[in-house]
Amino acid sequence: MRVRTGTPVPPVEFTPDAVTLLRFGAVTRNAHRIHYDTEFASSEGLAGPVVMAQLHGCLLHRAAMMFAGPGGRVLEVGWQNRAPALAGERLVVSGTVSGVDPVTGRVTLDLVERGGQGDQGDVECCRGSAVVLMG
């Protein structure tokens, strides 16, 4: 695929449920109860168990890797969380190419993850960037 500034990054969708959050927390050693215990999360003022920051990063990485294609590589990923995402909410990562270095072949992606349910379906959960080498 020929890429240039403005090329869209195809969307990547994921809907983490409570079991996914519990398992992801176990793998990443993030045992904070706000990620799996509905009652505790509510006592902390949250609407339910929230997606952990590292999972947002994994979704941005997945979008970058899928964009880079077979044989491609993700060199960098960074992001800032903007709003909480809850278990059961559909998360969608999309973006655009913001730069292409013709010498090194590095392609920079601007990425955004949106989530929510119903009227809240377009909340910006995190924003970030990635640098890839195309496969």
Side-chain angles (χ1 to χ4, degrees), residues 23 42 46 61 84 135:
R23 289 177 175 163
S42 296
L46 300 164
H61 185 279

Side-chain angles (χ1 to χ4, degrees), residues 9 12 53-67 74 76-81 92-94 109-114 125-130 132:
V9 174
V12 169
Q54 299 89 341
L55 184 55
H56 294 296
C58 285
L59 294 177
L60 269 63
H61 185 279
R62 180 184 290 176
M65 191 67 235
M66 290 180 74
F67 183 81
V74 177
E76 299 174 26
V77 176
W79 73 96
Q80 277 189 328
N81 294 332
V92 180
V93 177
S94 61
L109 310 175
D110 284 340
L111 301 169
V112 63
E113 179 195 79
R114 297 187 179 282
C125 298
C126 71
R127 179 170 288 279
S129 63
V132 301

Side-chain angles (χ1 to χ4, degrees), residues 39-52:
E39 187 175 315
F40 183 80
S42 296
S43 76
E44 294 290 309
L46 300 164
V50 294
V51 174
M52 53 282 289

Side-chain angles (χ1 to χ4, degrees), residues 10-39:
V12 169
E13 298 184 18
F14 184 67
T15 304
D17 60 17
V19 173
T20 300
L21 295 182
L22 178 65
R23 289 177 175 163
F24 190 85
V27 169
T28 60
R29 296 183 176 200
N30 184 345
H32 199 294
R33 291 172 59 189
I34 63 171
H35 300 302
Y36 65 88
D37 184 330
T38 301
E39 187 175 315

Side-chain angles (χ1 to χ4, degrees), residues 77-98:
V77 176
W79 73 96
Q80 277 189 328
N81 294 332
R82 302 282 175 99
L86 302 175
E89 290 183 348
R90 183 174 69 104
L91 303 173
V92 180
V93 177
S94 61
T96 57
V97 172
S98 61

